[in-house]
């Protein structure tokens, strides 16, 4: 297990979610960056936070961390406004773009300074260095760290207080494949320990590999808040059907509004009708089916459909 054997008693209110927004709104003059946004990210799960540049993700994260004041509504972590929590590092660990370490300072020295400032025992420093597999480089200047090592130092800094909620902002940006795999496993372990892992990212493929739930926003408004499986099922664009009577079934489905493509001698790809309707039509026509399977789509397609977004053409 990754957690500390003597973890401090939880300070979040029993039964609360790790992250909650209630009618959260933020205006900058005439511009509404976040518009009556409500969602919840449960404990014990990885929740992906999805939106294009300018969608309001960063503003929402800043309000959650108490770095920006809502115009109205609330942004809560563990049922609390972060500014009302006396030991915020025990509640939340933010993993942002940079650990904020001075380039001439070693990783260990940086962590010791951060621990002392937060009233955290110095013994946590060696623990979190080991947690992120950075002990071997702890005494090197952080300015000489690779991008992956700097990311691990950011995570170590966030984990100093053994927090219940961990916020990741674009965590895989610039990482190589081994680094991405390590980070994916690390986030999964944190959630399996019962923590709330909240991940803001443009990398929908990576989120699809790790997220339990997905919150999508567009132009400051909520687009979707659902489990990943539900989103992908809702986004299924077609149904694959296998039958020895493909021609007869295709004719029957077409008469009832289906769009049918032949993909093999006994295989059809059907859109505009769901699997339940196809099964009922086959039963009415006394046509035996060998297989009936929803064609699962990916998160990128679901996102574009729900937000009416255009392909982003290489945007990170």
């Amino acid at each position: 297990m990754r957690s500390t054997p003597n973890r401090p008693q939880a300070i979040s209110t029993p039964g609360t979610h790790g992250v909650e927004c209630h009618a959260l709104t933020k205006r900058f003059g005439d511009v509404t960056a976040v518009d009556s946004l409500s969602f919840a990210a449960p404990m014990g799960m990885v929740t992906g936070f999805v939106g294009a540049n300018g969608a309001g993700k960063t503003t929402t994260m800043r309000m959650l961390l108490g770095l920006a004041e809502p115009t109205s509504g609330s942004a809560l972590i563990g049922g609390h406004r972060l500014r009302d929590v006396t030991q915020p590092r025990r509640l939340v660990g933010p993993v942002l773009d940079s650990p904020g370490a001075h380039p001439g300072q070693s990783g260990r020295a940086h962590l010791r300074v951060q621990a002392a400032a937060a009233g955290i025992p110095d013994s946590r420093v060696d623990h979190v260095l080991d947690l992120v597999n950075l002990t071997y480089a702890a005494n090197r200047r952080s300015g000489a760290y690779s991008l992956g090592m700097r990311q691990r130092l950011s995570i170590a800094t966030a984990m100093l207080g053994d927090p219940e909620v961990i916020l990741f902002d674009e965590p895989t940006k610039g990482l190589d494949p081994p680094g991405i795999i390590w980070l994916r496993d690390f986030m999964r372990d944190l959630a399996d320990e019962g923590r709330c892992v909240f991940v803001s990212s443009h990398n929908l493929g990576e989120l699809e590999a790790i997220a339990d739930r997905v919150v999508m926003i567009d132009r400051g408004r909520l687009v979707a808040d659902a489990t990943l499986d539900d989103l992908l099922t809702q986004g299924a664009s077609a149904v694959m059907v296998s039958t020895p009577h493909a021609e007869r079934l295709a004719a029957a489905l077409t008469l009832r509004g289906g769009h049918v493509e032949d993909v093999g001698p006994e295989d059809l790809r059907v859109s505009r009708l769901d699997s339940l309707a196809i099964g009922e039509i086959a039963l009415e026509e006394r046509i035996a089916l060998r297989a009936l399977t929803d064609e699962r789509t990916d998160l990128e397609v679901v996102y574009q459909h729900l937000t009416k977004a255009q392909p982003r053409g290489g945007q990170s």
Side-chain angles (χ1 to χ4, degrees):
M1 294 291 291
R2 293 186 182 276
S3 59
T4 306
N6 296 313
R7 218 180 149 205
Q9 183 178 355
I11 62 174
S12 61
T13 305
T16 60
H17 295 284
V19 171
E20 296 174 87
C21 292
H22 300 284
L24 183 65
T25 299
K26 181 64 177 178
R27 299 187 183 93
F28 297 96
D30 294 333
V31 177
T32 301
V34 178
D35 190 357
S36 194
L37 182 62
S38 297
F39 68 85
M43 301 296 291
M45 291 188 181
V46 178
T47 298
F49 191 37
V50 175
N53 284 334
K57 299 196 312 298
T58 297
T59 301
T60 301
M61 296 276 275
R62 286 178 58 81
M63 287 189 283
L64 284 166
L65 292 171
L67 302 175
E69 183 68 19
T71 302
S72 61
S74 59
L76 308 177
I77 295 181
H80 307 277
R81 293 194 314 165
L82 197 60
R83 64 184 55 189
D84 296 333
V85 177
T86 56
Q87 295 178 295
R89 281 187 179 270
R90 281 185 53 196
L91 182 59
V92 62
V95 182
L96 306 177
D97 287 342
S98 168
H102 188 282
Q105 195 175 43
S106 71
R108 177 175 274 116
H110 166 72
L111 291 170
R112 282 177 171 166
V113 169
Q114 295 295 311
I120 295 169
D122 195 63
S123 59
R124 279 290 295 174
V125 170
D126 285 337
H127 176 79
V128 297
L129 283 167
D130 183 62
L131 189 69
V132 301
N133 301 325
L134 201 57
T135 301
Y136 73 96
N139 295 321
R140 296 184 198 171
R141 291 184 302 107
S142 64
Y145 282 5
S146 67
L147 182 60
M149 293 165 70
R150 290 198 298 272
Q151 180 70 308
R152 291 180 191 235
L153 183 58
S154 290
I155 296 171
T157 304
M159 295 302 297
L160 276 170
D162 204 13
E164 300 178 21
V165 178
I166 303 92
L167 304 185
F168 290 89
D169 188 19
E170 299 294 343
T172 62
K173 186 177 181 179
L175 293 183
D176 59 13
I180 291 173
I181 291 170
W182 175 86
L183 182 59
R184 183 192 303 165
D185 290 343
F186 186 86
M187 290 191 289
R188 183 73 265 161
D189 285 349
L190 292 175
D192 289 346
E193 290 173 355
R195 307 180 203 243
C196 173
V197 180
F198 190 69
V199 187
S200 172
S201 179
H202 286 103
N203 193 330
L204 301 187
E206 279 305 313
L207 281 182
E208 190 171 338
I210 186 64
D212 301 299
R213 295 189 63 84
V214 176
V215 173
M216 289 185 182
I217 64 172
D218 183 47
R219 286 164 286 188
R221 296 182 178 180
L222 183 70
V223 173
D225 177 10
T227 67
L228 179 65
D229 286 345
D230 282 349
L231 274 179
L232 295 180
T233 299
Q234 291 170 15
S237 57
V239 179
M240 302 302 296
V241 185
S242 180
T243 172
H245 309 290
E247 187 173 345
R248 280 181 55 212
L249 181 60
L253 296 176
T254 300
L255 281 174
R256 289 166 174 82
H259 180 267
V260 182
E261 301 171 62
D262 292 325
V263 293
E266 297 186 352
D267 298 314
L268 305 172
R269 184 177 186 272
V270 184
S271 54
R272 301 179 189 165
L273 292 171
D274 62 20
S275 56
L276 179 60
I278 294 169
E280 290 176 344
I281 293 168
L283 182 62
E284 290 174 8
E285 299 292 330
R286 298 181 181 274
I287 297 174
L289 301 181
R290 288 179 175 164
L292 184 65
T293 309
D294 285 329
E295 184 181 68
R296 287 171 62 90
T297 188
D298 61 27
L299 193 56
E300 180 80 24
V301 173
V302 173
Y303 171 77
Q304 291 186 16
H305 172 71
L306 291 177
T307 63
K308 304 296 189 291
Q310 296 299 314
R312 291 176 287 135
Q315 177 180 296
S316 63

